[in-house]
Every structure is written in C-alpha cells, then in structure tokens.
C-alpha cells in the first residue's frame, strides 16, 4: 500500500507495518521505519502507527529494540 494517498487506509498501512516488523523480528533483521512527518501528521494524527511499533518492540522483549541509525551502523562496524 502507498501511505499518504488514497490507495490505502490507516488500518491497511498498520497491517503492512505489523507484518513487516513481525518478519523482521522472526528473522533477526533490521526494520527501518521511514515516513515523512507530514504524512504521519495528516494520515495518522493520533500516532497509532508509532504507538503500535513501540508496543510491538516492547512485547518482543530482548528480540527487538528501538535504536538510532548510529547504533545500527556501530553494530555493523564492530562485527567487521
């Protein structure tokens, strides 16, 4: 779905994000949520998507965490 257009509603967008995060956790991968702040303001003024992402990460306990891109880069550099 394309977020910020008439092609998807908020529930469809959140479902897509949830599926992507679930896959990411299952495969011990990195999920990078990139979204223009204006799109979130207009399409998700109650911040449902961000709250959902935080809740998923919290429920995943040690299998997921919310970090900066710097931390991800540092972890990649430390393994090489």
């Amino acid at each position: 779905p394309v977020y910020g257009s008439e092609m998807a509603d908020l529930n469809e967008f959140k479902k897509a994000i949830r599926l992507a995060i679930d896959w990411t956790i299952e495969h011990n991968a990195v999920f990078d949520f990139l979204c223009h702040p204006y799109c979130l303001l207009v399409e998700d003024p109650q911040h449902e998507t961000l709250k959902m992402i935080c809740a998923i990460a919290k429920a995943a306990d040690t299998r997921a965490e919310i970090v900066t891109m710097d931390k991800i880069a540092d972890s990649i550099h430390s393994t090489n």
Side-chain angles (χ1 to χ4, degrees):
V2 177
Y3 192 54
S5 74
E6 294 181 23
M7 296 185 70
D9 69 13
L10 180 57
N11 289 328
E12 290 173 346
F13 178 71
K14 286 171 44 184
K15 180 180 178 183
I17 296 298
R18 174 175 284 285
L19 290 171
I21 293 172
D22 289 346
W23 183 93
T24 301
I25 292 169
E26 181 181 331
H27 291 90
N28 197 32
V30 174
F31 180 81
D32 184 5
F33 181 69
L34 292 173
C35 187
H36 194 282
Y38 185 76
C39 290
L40 285 177
L41 174 66
V42 172
E43 301 292 336
D44 188 4
Q46 301 303 316
H47 310 292
E48 293 177 34
T49 305
L50 296 175
K51 290 174 185 175
M52 180 191 72
I53 292 169
C54 292
I56 293 169
K58 184 176 181 178
D61 198 30
T62 60
R63 297 177 300 135
E65 65 180 316
I66 296 176
V67 300
T68 64
M69 294 299 287
D70 290 338
K71 184 168 182 177
I72 294 168
D74 289 346
S75 70
I76 292 169
H77 291 297
S78 67
T79 60
N80 290 330

